[in-house]
Amino acid sequence: MFDFTEPAAFMTGLGYEHVDGAWDAKAIVGNLNNGRVTDRRAPALHWRVDYIPGEYWGVGASGVHGKTSGTTSVNYADIDTFFIRGDWSLFGQVEAGLAKGHAFDGRDSRWVGLSGLAAYKFTPSLEGIVRLDYIKNDKNGGGTPNLLSSGTCQADSGPTACGDYRNGFGPGIDNTTGLINDPNKGANRYALTLGLDYAMTANAMLKFEVRYDRATQNTFFDVGSSTFKKTIHCSALLP
């Protein structure tokens, strides 16, 4: 019911699912990210609806409405679709969200995201994958519900007080002064990922991935140069 783009990792509450032909609807009401009833109550509604008329394609929508903690209120929704036929697999998603008081300048954060993935099987064992993600997240200094950095963000607070400089969210940094350029303007982000999956056996997969990330401001901290950059590259080979 959940995916990693959404602000809910788990819920404790009451859920209901209704299946009618090609339609599948789910909803749960309860505490977000809270295993039991405590003084940190976070009541919210999480829902998802899927329409899959056949084996080749489908479309769905989901949303979260409520609180992720005692003070943070979130409204989030997305629409996603897939098409799988022969050697091709195509996936797409559009999302939008708002978190009350969770931007880096202490106001409301708002974001819109787009994601697309295409995969092609060159052989039954070898598959190539291309994925492109974009998030417009510059409102009020940026911010998403999954980030711990929130509250008032001032230029004289230092770069670690505002932003997520491992993942490239938040206001940009002036490398000359080491201060935030504008606490009210966050970075927009996109990422291009190229990958190969090779099935060595029925139970073993070898994965190779190259990823290029870019932000509209200097929001990535480069450990080697101790400066903030707009781009970052990485690659990985995983069994």
Side-chain angles (χ1 to χ4, degrees), residues 73-199:
S73 177
V74 170
N75 280 290
Y76 167 93
D78 79 74
I79 299 175
D80 51 83
T81 184
F82 73 88
F83 176 82
I84 300 174
R85 188 69 182 267
D87 296 325
W88 284 99
S89 299
L90 304 174
F91 301 87
Q93 183 183 36
V94 179
E95 65 175 70
L98 179 149
K100 288 285 188 180
H102 215 271
F104 289 109
D105 66 359
R107 294 183 289 175
D108 298 345
S109 63
R110 295 180 175 88
W111 67 93
V112 177
L114 301 173
S115 181
L117 183 148
Y120 180 78
K121 282 189 173 294
F122 299 103
T123 71
S125 300
L126 182 64
E127 183 178 40
I129 301 170
V130 178
R131 174 169 174 162
L132 181 63
D133 299 282
Y134 173 79
I135 181 169
K136 179 176 173 56
N137 191 42
D138 56 350
K139 187 72 172 179
N140 298 332
T144 65
N146 293 323
L147 302 181
L148 297 178
S149 301
S150 63
T152 304
C153 176
Q154 303 295 333
D156 59 358
S157 300
T160 59
C162 309
D164 178 357
Y165 299 108
R166 176 177 297 175
N167 297 305
F169 292 107
I173 299 297
D174 185 332
N175 284 311
T176 302
T177 63
L179 300 178
I180 296 167
N181 286 320
D182 184 353
N184 301 312
K185 185 176 181 180
N188 298 324
R189 290 263 286 100
Y190 65 82
L192 174 64
T193 305
L194 305 176
L196 287 173
D197 291 347
Y198 180 73

Side-chain angles (χ1 to χ4, degrees), residues 4 7 13 17 24 33 39 44 94 119 122 127 134 136 174 198 207 209 217 234:
F4 291 110
E17 179 177 14
D24 185 0
N33 304 325
D39 56 352
V94 179
F122 299 103
E127 183 178 40
Y134 173 79
K136 179 176 173 56
D174 185 332
Y198 180 73
K207 293 178 174 286
E209 182 177 289
Q217 299 191 56
C234 63

